[in-house]
Amino acid sequence: MDLMGMMGKLKETQQKMEETKNRLNSVLVDEQSNDGLLQVTLTANREIKNFKIADELLQDKEMLEDYLVTVLNKAITKATNVNEAEMAAVAQSGMPSIPGMDMFK
């Protein structure tokens, strides 16, 4: 088994993961309430970029709070799924092939 080759491959994979993490800052995920009164945009790294709140929601504090919780949770889940899929693809492509360790395939 080529230990130096494996270490190089590991370092290369770490670098690709960093690049992917940086790229995910520009991948935007949109989510909105069913009625469209609240919209949120965040990056695939789960950083909030934008909100759009309909005027009628501003009249009802409790309703706005409920909407924020629901829509943000849905958006975070969606962004997490994108993030994990991208990171897993990079990790899987960079795994050295070790005999008997094919659980990642």
Side-chain angles (χ1 to χ4, degrees):
M1 190 167 9
D2 176 15
L3 198 55
M4 291 307 287
M6 276 176 52
M7 294 304 285
K9 185 101 166 137
L10 208 54
K11 197 165 184 65
E12 186 182 309
T13 301
Q14 281 180 318
Q15 188 176 346
K16 281 183 184 169
M17 289 188 92
E18 260 325 291
E19 290 167 5
T20 300
K21 202 181 291 184
N22 289 335
R23 186 175 54 78
L24 290 175
N25 280 328
S26 62
V27 174
L28 299 179
V29 175
D30 294 310
E31 188 58 65
Q32 66 178 6
S33 57
N34 292 335
D35 55 14
L37 295 179
L38 177 71
Q39 298 173 4
V40 64
T41 301
L42 45 133
T43 70
N45 283 326
R46 297 171 295 273
E47 180 182 318
I48 296 170
K49 287 295 188 183
N50 192 29
F51 271 112
K52 287 187 183 160
I53 301 171
D55 289 341
E56 59 199 84
L57 278 180
L58 298 176
Q59 312 309 313
D60 187 339
K61 182 178 182 286
E62 251 180 59
M63 191 163 130
L64 175 57
E65 289 169 348
D66 289 345
Y67 270 56
L68 283 168
V69 169
T70 302
V71 175
L72 278 172
N73 281 328
K74 281 172 37 181
I76 290 168
T77 297
K78 193 187 272 188
T80 298
N81 290 340
V82 171
N83 185 296
E84 288 175 354
E86 291 285 325
M87 295 305 264
V90 172
Q92 188 172 8
S93 72
M95 289 303 293
S97 59
I98 302 169
M101 296 286 289
D102 54 1
M103 62 189 164
F104 294 108
K105 292 184 177 146

